[in-house]
Amino acid sequence: MTRRVAVVNAGVSAASSTRLLAEQLAGAVDSAVSARGEQVQIDYVDVASLARDLATAVTSGVLSTQVRAAHDLVADADGLIVATPVFAASYSGIFKMFFDTLDPDSITGVPVLAAATAGTPRHSLVIDHAIRPLLAYLRADVLPTGTFAATDDFGSTELNGRVSRAGSELAQRLVSDGAVAGFGGPTESAPRRSGRSTDLGPVTDFASLLNGHTGQV
C-alpha cells in the first residue's frame, strides 16, 4: 500500500532553507517507509505561491481553486510535514493563514512532523511554543521530534540525525497504524488518487513584503 505524505512548506525566498529542510524530512520518511517494505507518495504545497489567494480567503471567506486543491492534498494525506521560517519569534503569517482557512476537522488524528528554520538558534523553541499548540488545536497527532534548523546547522551531523529520527517516527506511524487521514480525508477503505508527487507552484519570493524575518527563509 502506498502512503501519502503532504509537505506544507512556508518558505518564501527563492533559495529557501525551509524548503530544503522540508525536502530532507520527506527524504527521511521515504527511506524509512521503503525500509519497511512499503511505498510513500510525497506531495508538496508551497504556501508562498498561494499568499494572495490565502489573504483573499481570510478576508472574504472565498477559497480559490488553488487553495482548495492544496487543502484537498492535506485532507487526503496519511501524514504531514509542516515547515515554516521564523518571523517575529513565531511562524510566518502565510503559514498561519493556510491553517486558518483549512477545514478544522481535516487533520484530526493525522500524524504531523513539525519543522522550522531561522537565522540563529535562539528561536529553537518556536516549535514548542507556537507550532505545536496550533496543530494541537486542530487535533493533529504531533510527533515527539520537532526539527529546528538554524543557518549554521545545515550539513551538520546533529541536524542529519534529528532529520533521520523524525522521519523514522512518521514512517513508523504510517506503516504501523495504516492510513489515518483526518475526518476531511479518505478512510483506508476509500479509493485514493494515484499519480506522481505534486508540487503546487514555485516558491515565490515574498521576503521583501515581510518585516522582521530572521535569516534566509
Side-chain angles (χ1 to χ4, degrees):
M1 174 183 295
T2 300
R3 317 296 186 184
R4 295 189 63 173
V5 172
V7 181
V8 179
N9 159 48
V12 296
S13 64
S16 172
S17 58
T18 306
R19 169 79 186 223
L20 175 59
L21 180 59
E23 289 175 344
Q24 290 178 351
L25 287 166
V29 173
D30 190 0
S31 296
V33 170
S34 298
R36 290 166 169 80
E38 301 282 355
Q39 294 181 321
V40 64
Q41 175 178 320
I42 309 294
D43 298 317
Y44 284 88
V45 177
D46 288 329
V47 183
S49 65
L50 304 172
R52 291 185 180 181
D53 289 346
L54 288 171
T56 299
V58 168
T59 56
S60 70
V62 177
L63 273 62
S64 69
T65 301
Q66 290 78 11
V67 170
R68 290 185 183 277
H71 286 178
D72 286 345
L73 279 179
V74 170
D76 290 349
D78 301 311
L80 298 176
I81 297 169
V82 301
T84 179
V86 174
F87 283 80
S90 188
Y91 39 62
S92 70
I94 57 173
F95 181 84
K96 182 61 161 58
M97 283 195 296
F98 182 81
F99 288 100
D100 283 344
T101 57
L102 187 68
D103 184 327
D105 290 329
S106 292
I107 61 173
T108 298
V110 176
V112 182
L113 287 182
T117 61
T120 71
R122 68 175 180 267
H123 296 290
S124 59
L125 294 179
V126 69
I127 292 175
D128 289 328
H129 76 65
I131 303 173
R132 196 177 293 275
L134 170 64
L135 297 171
Y137 173 79
L138 295 170
R139 299 184 297 279
D141 178 13
V142 189
L143 298 180
T145 300
T147 308
F148 173 85
T151 301
D152 292 341
D153 290 331
F154 284 93
S156 69
T157 302
E158 182 182 358
L159 178 59
N160 292 340
R162 279 184 276 142
V163 166
S164 179
R165 182 169 64 250
S168 294
E169 285 178 7
L170 181 53
Q172 182 177 13
R173 192 65 56 86
L174 292 173
V175 175
S176 298
D177 296 352
V180 288
F183 293 165
T187 63
E188 185 145 23
S189 60
R192 292 188 172 275
R193 296 194 299 263
S194 60
R196 59 186 178 182
S197 297
T198 302
D199 193 324
L200 294 180
V203 179
T204 305
D205 188 356
F206 288 91
S208 61
L209 304 180
L210 300 171
N211 293 321
H213 64 82
T214 57
Q216 183 186 44
V217 296

